[in-house]
Amino acid sequence: MNKIKNIKTELAKTTTTLVAVTKTRSIPTIMKLYDAGHRIFGENRVQELVTKFEEMPKDIEWHLIGHLQKNKVKYIASFVKLIHSVDSIELAEMINKQAAKHERVIDTLLQLKVAAEDSKFGLKNEELNEMVVQVKSLDHIRVRGIMGMATFTTDQDQVKQEFQQLKSHFDSIKENHFKDKDDFSELSMGMSGDYKLAVKEGSTMVRIGSLLFS
Ligand SMILES: *Cc1c(COP(=O)(O)O)cnc(C)c1O
């Protein structure tokens, strides 16, 4: 458990939150992080998220960080704390509908595609503004910020540029749509391999998995 303690000590000098990514890890393994005092966990699959939510202590904040299919929103709408991966208006509308059923307002991030790889999900730059306008009209969703993933590459300049792009989109959305809203405050970027760079470039939330368990 020294890994998580070291990372948390490092992040404590900043205002960045650690989301411990626990996908594919067993409950006893995750409980070690819990017993070390950690409470914010992220999963990328709905079924795994639901199982872990049901079997683990109820003071955990569960984040959904991976691609979310509309027909699965209903399984997590009662408890999910933050959905990092909203990438279409149809998905946002479904989250809104399911949140309303549970009389909740669900916190979300809009996922933006900046990586060069085709495989990464997310909104394109030119879709972002319209998306924000549409989502702002939904009463049971609160947009808390932006999420993105850099290209998986050893080219640090490229990764840095992509983080800078995310930060500049965050700033312009904040300026144009949420100027007086303190709620719009999160920039989720950075994983095991690139979180230090992400923090330097303005990340408020890093999603770290493999490094915690190595
Ligand atoms: C798995 C995953 C992470 C964590 O990746 P690591 O390299 O294990 O730190 C972060 N974000 C998303 C969306 C993921 O699926």
Side-chain angles (χ1 to χ4, degrees):
M1 289 310 97
N2 284 334
K3 281 267 158 52
I4 192 163
K5 287 197 173 134
N6 292 344
I7 293 172
K8 284 178 87 160
T9 305
E10 191 184 338
L11 293 177
K13 297 174 200 137
T14 71
T15 52
T16 311
T17 303
L18 172 64
V19 179
V21 176
T22 51
K23 63 185 184 204
T24 74
R25 310 289 164 180
S26 70
I27 289 174
T29 302
I30 305 169
M31 277 309 292
K32 290 186 188 152
L33 301 181
Y34 181 91
D35 291 337
H38 199 66
R39 294 293 182 272
I40 307 173
F41 297 103
E43 286 283 333
N44 70 337
R45 296 237 160 98
V46 166
Q47 185 53 58
E48 211 176 322
L49 180 62
V50 169
T51 306
K52 288 172 179 171
F53 163 72
E54 284 171 353
E55 295 184 17
M56 293 187 64
K58 292 297 170 283
D59 61 344
I60 293 173
E61 277 187 20
W62 288 105
H63 293 196
L64 194 279
I65 60 170
H67 184 64
L68 177 57
Q69 287 174 302
K70 271 186 305 184
N71 60 352
K72 296 198 173 157
V73 174
K74 57 177 179 274
Y75 301 118
I76 61 170
S78 68
F79 70 90
V80 70
K81 174 76 177 174
L82 179 65
I83 299 175
H84 288 233
S85 45
V86 176
D87 61 359
S88 73
I89 187 64
E90 292 79 13
L91 175 59
E93 282 168 347
M94 180 59 87
I95 295 169
N96 187 61
K97 182 176 155 187
Q98 297 296 334
K101 278 192 189 165
H102 294 279
E103 298 178 351
R104 297 186 67 204
V105 175
I106 294 183
D107 282 348
T108 61
L109 304 177
L110 303 180
Q111 182 175 358
L112 193 57
K113 181 178 154 67
V114 289
E117 294 128 314
D118 280 341
S119 60
K120 300 233 158 108
F121 291 101
L123 295 153
K124 300 197 187 84
N125 294 344
E126 59 272 23
E127 297 170 327
L128 187 60
N129 264 296
E130 196 190 337
M131 178 74 183
V132 173
V133 172
Q134 288 178 312
V135 174
K136 272 177 82 177
S137 72
L138 303 173
D139 291 337
H140 292 270
I141 281 198
R142 183 163 43 213
V143 181
R144 298 293 315 278
I146 301 283
M147 181 272 233
M149 285 163 96
T151 305
F152 188 70
T153 171
T154 53
D155 182 347
Q156 291 295 296
D157 283 339
Q158 183 177 354
V159 173
K160 181 173 168 180
Q161 253 184 36
E162 290 173 355
F163 286 153
Q164 287 174 346
Q165 267 185 59
L166 286 167
K167 172 72 164 116
S168 104
H169 283 293
F170 173 85
D171 289 341
S172 74
I173 296 286
K174 173 88 186 161
E175 176 68 23
N176 294 326
H177 300 279
F178 297 100
K179 211 169 175 175
D180 308 316
K181 287 247 166 63
D182 293 342
D183 288 347
F184 189 90
S185 58
E186 302 299 335
L187 178 55
S188 168
M189 63 183 192
M191 309 180 10
S192 290
D194 56 21
Y195 80 93
K196 288 185 194 210
L197 189 50
V199 170
K200 250 189 221 147
E201 299 301 333
S203 171
T204 68
M205 212 175 248
V206 288
R207 308 176 311 271
I208 298 181
S210 43
L211 190 62
L212 298 177
F213 304 99
S214 61

